[in-house]
Amino acid sequence: MRDPLFLAGRPNGRSQKSARKILAFTWAIAGLGILAAPAYAHHPFGGQTPANALEGFLSGLGHPVIGFDHLVFVVAIGLLGAFKPKGVILPVAFVIATLLGTGIHLLGWDLPAPELIISASVFSLGLLLALGRHLNVFALAGLGALAGLFHGYAYGEAIVGAEMTPLVAYLLGFGSIQLAIAISAQTLVQRLFQGERATQLPVRFAGFTILGIGITLLSTFVVG
């Protein structure tokens, strides 16, 4: 059986184009980690509690983006549903769960080892993507929602003590940016690789990259 990207002998123009797209896509995922790493701090306002609606909304927009582990997971959850029927359920379930997780934090309830679980969630999604596991979309949504509770719990730290108006704006901000990033990742992959013979291959390459990022995040808890 011929390789889906490279035919026997010299690759044709379409194969070369597919390979270039996969390479560019994989490097984009890797660059995401490289660019986000210096901004590992999780607080857009340097730890200060937002005082008004604008600050709350901007803080909500920024938190999932400058939080390296959060950003990678949001992209991964989008990629995981890229070629599944009703794949949009995955980011929606995750985002709803992050809102609940923030509520858990604000109520003063504790979740065990949230940063460790968040790092493990990045590793797990990377592994699923890399292996190309064909799990039921609702089972994946359940896993995403479970992880979302811990991601949302971490988001809650930035808004503890805020008034109701900036709090609601914060929730709106981080909910909308996560949906936008995840659905954009889904749409990008679908449009780039639609109709090609190996649509899962670029997602698996991205999965190996995300898996490596997850291993790096987990290693910080082992060595530090």
Side-chain angles (χ1 to χ4, degrees):
M1 182 176 179
R2 293 181 176 182
D3 187 283
L5 294 179
F6 295 95
L7 302 177
R10 185 176 179 180
N12 60 25
R14 181 167 180 171
S15 297
Q16 291 176 324
K17 184 178 179 181
S18 296
R20 285 196 295 268
K21 286 196 292 185
I22 290 173
L23 184 62
F25 180 70
T26 304
W27 275 108
I29 296 296
L32 178 68
I34 295 171
L35 292 174
Y40 191 74
H42 282 41
H43 302 284
F45 286 91
Q48 294 183 353
T49 302
N52 53 55
L54 179 59
E55 288 184 2
F57 184 71
L58 292 177
S59 182
L61 289 178
H63 198 148
V65 175
I66 69 171
F68 175 33
D69 42 4
H70 302 309
L71 178 59
V72 173
F73 188 91
V74 172
V75 172
I77 201 75
L79 297 180
L80 199 59
F83 297 109
K84 293 185 178 296
K86 301 179 181 178
V88 72
I89 292 174
L90 273 64
V92 170
F94 169 72
V95 170
I96 291 174
T98 60
L99 297 173
L100 294 175
T102 298
I104 289 173
H105 194 135
L106 295 177
L107 289 172
W109 301 345
D110 291 328
L111 291 181
E115 293 298 336
L116 176 60
I117 300 299
I118 289 169
S119 298
S121 72
V122 175
F123 172 86
S124 300
L125 254 62
L127 185 63
L128 286 174
L129 288 167
L131 296 179
R133 295 297 185 190
H134 299 287
L135 299 180
N136 180 279
V137 68
F138 294 104
L140 291 173
L143 291 174
L146 179 61
L149 290 176
F150 288 86
H151 284 262
Y153 184 86
Y155 293 154
E157 183 64 29
I159 200 67
V160 170
E163 299 292 334
M164 183 58 67
T165 298
L167 170 60
V168 172
Y170 180 76
L171 297 175
L172 179 62
F174 84 66
S176 59
I177 193 65
Q178 288 180 118
L179 272 179
I181 293 171
I183 293 175
S184 294
Q186 279 191 2
T187 304
L188 176 63
V189 172
Q190 290 166 349
R191 291 186 177 179
L192 275 177
F193 303 102
Q194 185 178 21
E196 297 194 7
R197 297 174 64 186
T199 53
Q200 294 291 342
L201 191 57
V203 176
R204 292 188 67 184
F205 271 107
F208 280 111
T209 304
I210 293 170
L211 178 61
I213 294 171
I215 292 172
T216 301
L217 291 171
L218 284 173
S219 68
T220 63
F221 291 94
V222 175
V223 300

